[in-house]
Amino acid sequence: MSQPISVEDVACYFFISRRQLARIMAKHGETFSGYLRKVRMERASLLLKNKKIPIKDIAFMTGFQSLHYFTRIFKREVGMTPARFRRMF
């Protein structure tokens, strides 16, 4: 999860084309990037409950190259900043 993941990587893993993967995901109402973002946010939410791991490290562990970008996406997806989310637990 900490490494960049592309549609091509996933399609190759399942031995299908990129277009076929997009069709399969569309049947389930998802896009590749949307699904990946959702999975990363779920993982980040779990990691944020451990107050020993710095938020910056969690950002990198979940595949974000920038703490600022991680914070912006987390706030958009979850509705609050990672720091505020962490304080709730």
Side-chain angles (χ1 to χ4, degrees), residues 11 15 27-30 53 63-64 80 88:
F15 301 104
K27 283 182 184 179
H28 297 284
E30 289 277 2
I53 305 172
F64 292 88
M80 64 185 78
M88 290 175 53

Side-chain angles (χ1 to χ4, degrees), residues 5-88:
I5 300 170
S6 72
V7 158
E8 290 81 12
D9 294 336
V10 175
C12 186
Y13 179 82
F14 288 109
F15 301 104
I16 59 176
S17 71
R18 179 181 179 196
R19 186 156 169 77
Q20 189 175 2
L21 177 62
R23 282 188 201 131
I24 291 167
M25 295 195 80
K27 283 182 184 179
H28 297 284
E30 289 277 2
T31 63
F32 176 77
S33 59
Y35 179 76
L36 183 59
R37 187 173 42 252
K38 182 174 75 174
V39 169
R40 286 181 167 164
M41 291 298 103
E42 288 171 0
R43 177 77 174 137
S45 296
L46 288 173
L47 291 170
L48 284 166
K49 293 177 184 177
N50 181 346
K51 296 185 183 204
K52 293 180 183 179
I53 305 172
I55 294 174
K56 182 178 180 180
D57 291 349
I58 292 171
F60 293 121
M61 290 167 70
T62 53
F64 292 88
Q65 301 304 313
S66 155
L67 176 59
H68 175 73
Y69 184 63
F70 169 71
T71 301
R72 193 174 78 204
I73 297 300
F74 191 91
K75 184 173 183 180
R76 185 178 74 197
E77 295 294 317
V78 179
M80 64 185 78
T81 65
R84 186 171 175 208
F85 181 87
R86 174 173 267 176
R87 282 192 300 267
M88 290 175 53

